[in-house]
Amino acid sequence: MRWQATLLLLAAAIIAAAAPPPETAPAAQAALTLFSDRFYRGETLVFRADEGDIRPAFAPRSVRSVGRWLVCSEPRFRGRCIEIAGDYPIDTALGVNFNIRSLRAMVAGTGAGHPPPNVPPDGASLTGLSSRYFPAPAFGRERLLACPDGAPGMGCAKDTAQDLCRRAGYREAKHFVLQAERGLYYLADVLCVRTGTGENQ
């Protein structure tokens, strides 16, 4: 009867090999939807690809996004730029006089550099009595780029670190370094403090 058991095992292997692979859910296609009214009402515009110069018929009052997008107030990604990742039912969460003239889908893992106003940083951190230490600060699970608008330099990295600390509720960045990874430069080892240099706690 050993040969019958062997045949059964062989048949099971053939059936398993012929069976189609289990279906996986397709990745959601990046999309940015602008609404003319708050709470996702009114006229809509949907974008699924990069646009260097758009002229929407209305200023968006609410936004829905699939994926991460860089949106700028001037054509060709100039002017005031912010990153959008998620839904914003009211435009005030995106800043005063929010407008879009160019937009670009951002590939996951390329880092964050222009988070919307008032969005706090995330990522691991250590909080003390009057300070907070971010070994690898991030926004929306993306490492924070040191200089999102150009070549890396200590001046723009300091501005980015200061913005990070203020978003976290601290007065200034006391220390930071630049970390190179895959051709990109990220902020690392950021120490935020509540008191200025030389001040007593």
Side-chain angles (χ1 to χ4, degrees), residues 38-121:
R38 292 181 173 185
F39 302 104
Y40 320 117
R41 295 179 298 193
E43 298 179 58
T44 62
L45 284 173
V46 181
F47 298 92
R48 301 187 186 280
D50 299 358
E51 296 285 351
D53 189 358
I54 63 174
R55 301 174 187 273
F58 56 83
R61 303 297 304 279
S62 54
V63 179
R64 274 189 164 145
S65 70
V66 177
R68 296 170 57 234
W69 292 81
L70 178 71
V71 298
C72 299
S73 62
E74 299 295 335
R76 287 174 278 281
F77 313 104
R78 294 177 299 186
R80 175 175 174 263
C81 298
I82 63 173
E83 293 173 16
I84 292 180
D87 298 338
Y88 295 85
I90 56 175
D91 55 325
T92 51
L94 297 166
V96 179
N97 298 323
F98 175 68
N99 197 16
I100 296 177
R101 288 296 309 278
S102 53
L103 51 89
R104 172 183 293 154
M106 301 185 69
V107 178
T110 55
H114 295 282
N118 304 318
V119 174

Side-chain angles (χ1 to χ4, degrees), residues 111-151:
H114 295 282
N118 304 318
V119 174
D122 51 30
S125 65
L126 180 63
T127 303
L129 291 176
S130 62
S131 63
R132 188 173 175 185
Y133 169 68
F134 293 89
F139 284 91
R141 301 179 185 175
E142 292 282 341
R143 287 287 306 275
L144 181 60
L145 292 169
C147 297
D149 293 321

Side-chain angles (χ1 to χ4, degrees), residues 143-163:
R143 287 287 306 275
L144 181 60
L145 292 169
C147 297
D149 293 321
M154 294 306 290
C156 64
K158 181 178 180 180
D159 292 340
T160 304
Q162 292 283 68
D163 179 64

Side-chain angles (χ1 to χ4, degrees), residues 145-147 153-166 172-178 187 190 197:
L145 292 169
C147 297
M154 294 306 290
C156 64
K158 181 178 180 180
D159 292 340
T160 304
Q162 292 283 68
D163 179 64
L164 165 80
C165 290
R166 287 168 184 156
E172 66 175 338
K174 188 76 170 177
H175 175 79
F176 66 89
V177 298
L178 276 66
L187 275 187
V190 181
T197 305

